[in-house]
Amino acid sequence: MSSILLVTAFLRLFFMGKKMMVEKILNQLKGTNEAEIILQMENAYSKIASEQNKWYEKSSFTCTSGCGECCRNFEPDLLECEALYMAAWLMENQPEIVNKIAEGNFPFEKNKGCPFWNEHNSYHCTIYGGRSCICRLFGGCGSRSKNGKIMFKPCKFYPTEKLSQFKTPLAHKNYMQEEILNIFGTVPPVMSDLMEEVENLNPQDKRTKLIRDSLPETVRRLKWIISMNDQAQ
């Protein structure tokens, strides 16, 4: 993406009232393919949030505050575009730990699951703004049946007693599209639909790597590109 296109994208987001999460790093990466991918990831993540917020507001079905059980023993694996965004977000928002990550040292590296999950933090995720797709989508999306209808199943960690408090008491089971509409008056976004745009940012290689394997090399890659850009100016 050219510098002009990047500036245009920044201005469009500015006038839409959106604050870029990685604006400084995008400026340092301007003129590179990595900048284009990171910018498109920010747009994709904004779309995911927008679609989920519509579901949350209409259904009143959201994750219970401070849960984090889905992350306790789970380490996300990342597409290249997710790793690029996560690295850029860390460089912009938590620069004090980036050099350690580049060396393969994570804040909570002894965790069996995600190396950014903090048991003693009430919200647990320490990189919430830079988190991966699965972390954004899980619990707040539906899926599709073989006939293309939307299905929704409450997260297995959702407390049974809280499910029973809905106007129509819920259970840990799959609800089909007609049931979802009758219960909530709306349907959730579909995970595969939202992921399609992200997967298309990796047309040549859709392989994934665990955070511990992909993030250090991605941080080193972005730091090298930025150093080359600085020398060229």
Side-chain angles (χ1 to χ4, degrees):
M1 178 179 285
S2 69
S3 299
I4 293 175
L5 288 177
L6 276 173
V7 170
T8 301
F10 291 152
L11 290 173
R12 184 169 64 250
L13 286 168
F14 176 80
F15 286 115
M16 288 172 64
K18 296 180 180 178
K19 182 180 183 298
M20 296 290 293
M21 298 285 287
V22 291
E23 184 170 352
K24 177 182 175 182
I25 299 303
L26 279 173
N27 277 320
Q28 293 176 324
L29 292 167
K30 63 184 178 181
T32 67
N33 184 56
E34 285 77 7
E36 180 178 356
I37 293 173
I38 292 166
L39 179 60
Q40 290 185 55
M41 284 299 295
E42 178 126 335
N43 291 334
Y45 284 158
S46 293
K47 180 179 178 180
I48 288 172
S50 175
E51 292 300 310
Q52 286 184 318
N53 284 337
K54 293 175 187 176
W55 159 250
Y56 295 146
E57 290 171 7
K58 292 181 180 179
S59 70
S60 297
F61 191 97
T62 61
C63 292
T64 55
S65 179
C67 177
E69 287 301 310
C70 57
C71 315
R72 182 180 292 275
N73 294 307
F74 173 73
E75 179 179 354
D77 53 332
L78 309 176
L79 292 163
E80 180 185 7
C81 58
E82 295 176 279
L84 283 168
Y85 188 85
M86 188 179 290
W89 187 91
L90 281 161
M91 292 169 73
E92 178 110 1
N93 296 279
Q94 297 183 12
E96 68 280 2
I97 67 170
V98 164
N99 288 336
K100 293 181 179 179
I101 291 172
E103 297 170 356
N105 299 316
F106 289 86
F108 306 97
E109 58 187 354
K110 293 183 179 180
N111 286 351
K112 292 181 180 179
C114 180
F116 292 110
W117 188 84
N118 183 354
E119 183 174 8
H120 303 294
N121 181 308
S122 59
Y123 294 102
H124 304 302
C125 180
T126 59
I127 58 162
Y128 193 76
R131 69 198 187 283
S132 64
C133 286
I134 188 61
C135 305
R136 296 168 190 266
L137 297 170
F138 183 77
C141 286
S143 57
R144 290 195 185 278
S145 65
K146 292 181 179 179
N147 62 8
K149 293 291 186 70
I150 296 176
M151 303 186 298
F152 178 72
K153 183 177 182 180
C155 166
K156 66 179 181 180
F157 299 110
Y158 207 99
T160 302
E161 63 273 15
K162 288 189 177 294
L163 288 176
S164 67
Q165 293 172 6
F166 281 85
K167 186 175 181 180
T168 299
L170 301 173
H172 291 104
K173 70 168 193 174
N174 266 321
Y175 290 89
M176 302 307 295
Q177 187 163 324
E178 292 77 9
E179 294 178 287
I180 301 168
L181 283 168
N182 287 333
I183 295 169
F184 298 111
T186 187
V187 293
V190 177
M191 185 179 293
S192 59
D193 295 349
L194 293 174
M195 273 302 297
E196 183 177 5
E197 181 177 343
V198 173
E199 290 173 344
N200 286 338
L201 296 178
N202 299 269
Q204 305 301 322
D205 188 356
K206 290 186 170 60
R207 291 177 298 178
T208 59
K209 295 181 181 179
L210 292 172
I211 286 179
R212 285 178 172 85
D213 297 327
S214 63
L215 198 58
E217 63 184 42
T218 306
V219 168
R220 293 194 298 269
R221 172 179 164 189
L222 292 187
K223 287 170 70 70
W224 180 82
I225 293 172
I226 290 171
S227 71
M228 293 296 102
N229 268 1
D230 288 343
Q231 291 179 27
Q233 292 177 1

